[in-house]
Amino acid sequence: MPTVITLPGDGIGPEVTAAATQILREVAPDVTIEEHAIGGIAYDTHGDPFPQITRDALAGADAVLLGTVGGAQDSVWNTLPRPKRPESGLLALRKALGCYANLRPVRVQPGLEHLSPLKPELARGVDILIVRELLGGVYFDGDRKIDGATAYNTMRYTTPEVERVARVAFWAAEQRKGRVTSVDKANVLEVSELWRRDVTALRDREYRGIHLNHEYVDSVAMLIVSDPSRYDVIVTENLFGDILSDLAAVIPGSLGLMPSASLGDGAGLFEPIHGSAPDIAGRGVANPAAAIMSAGMLLRHGLKRPDAANQIDRAVALALRQSPTRDLGGTADTATFTRAVLDALETSPAVG
């Protein structure tokens, strides 16, 4: 039986993770679920935001479901030495799992087009998956320095680094519409020339059924908000992916609708992208949709159960139309929305 480690974390993390876990148990009752601490609460109980007991548990995990970490700006956690702060626990978690590919779906839910800053006719039907390389590029290269009036960072990639993240994008495209857009700046950057060459070579060797095109990052930044329906799967390096995924995150109209996955060679990490929202923590009003959809991504990408993932996606879409949460202009609280998803699951049986 597969094992999922849940890390509820801080703020609204325990509330939305509990909702997601409830849905996960309903759809995949054979999965073993174990809960462990991370973030500020882990520091309070273990003296470490990523304690050894949590590290040890990951060794037997098939997937990890994370809530949120961190507190308010005036939290005592923010006065701790940096290695003891909640966010340091999250960085250590990602490093421990070796997650090199971040997947960020950008989907406008039917009936919620009015929440998007785009015109409804542009927002309707948007369904993009952004695959961002997560462990390389300019953020991680060691050749970096501030020297008086001069500073520099270097962007560096190797063929194996490019191929492993491109392979994730091609695999994901096989489950979707079969189209990949690789984003680079090959007209001015040698590292982008390598990126384009290696992505093309991998497609030609292993994924001939996938339609691949290449676009420059500045063009994509314009088109992703002016013609978003042109994209299916986007794959790109770390810096470009950071910018494009945050830009695209506004399209659905609420961070409460944004799940994510980070994949590597071991257990994947699945989490909503919203923060810990300490101002509403404990009140039972947090929107759990992103956490529930993250559980869906866990089933799809972590446990390779696409039918169960599709079941969750359909149920969430129906619940959002019938019982929207307060941040979406409705009245549902956390428990009410979770119940609506469970009710929708009963009318959306798994396939196969």
Side-chain angles (χ1 to χ4, degrees), residues 10 118 197 283 318 323 341:
D10 309 317
L118 303 184
R197 182 199 73 189
R283 293 170 51 190
L318 181 59
S323 188
V341 175

Side-chain angles (χ1 to χ4, degrees), residues 289-331:
I292 294 172
M293 288 189 285
S294 293
M297 294 189 75
L298 183 154
L299 289 164
R300 184 182 307 280
H301 300 286
L303 302 186
K304 303 299 187 289
R305 298 186 181 185
D307 289 341
N310 291 339
Q311 189 183 8
I312 287 179
D313 286 346
R314 291 192 297 267
V316 169
L318 181 59
L320 285 169
R321 291 195 297 273
Q322 296 183 347
S323 188
T325 50
R326 300 179 188 186
D327 59 312
L328 304 178
T331 60

Side-chain angles (χ1 to χ4, degrees), residues 191-205:
V191 70
S192 283
E193 290 185 41
L194 175 83
W195 181 280
R196 182 174 292 209
R197 182 199 73 189
D198 291 344
V199 170
T200 301
L202 179 66
R203 192 285 305 268
D204 292 347
R205 289 197 315 271

Side-chain angles (χ1 to χ4, degrees), residues 55-125:
R55 291 177 183 268
D56 293 342
L58 296 178
D62 295 286
V64 180
L65 181 64
L66 175 69
T68 64
V69 300
Q73 289 188 3
D74 59 354
S75 169
V76 66
W77 295 331
N78 293 331
T79 66
L80 296 170
R82 190 165 298 277
K84 296 295 185 181
R85 296 180 187 178
E87 294 77 12
S88 294
L90 176 58
L91 294 176
L93 169 66
R94 289 171 176 166
K95 183 177 180 180
L97 293 175
C99 297
Y100 56 77
N102 179 252
L103 280 64
R104 183 82 68 84
V106 180
R107 183 181 300 117
V108 175
Q109 297 290 340
L112 299 183
E113 294 86 357
H114 63 283
L115 297 175
S116 176
L118 303 184
K119 294 179 179 179
E121 59 268 25
L122 288 178
R124 187 170 295 110

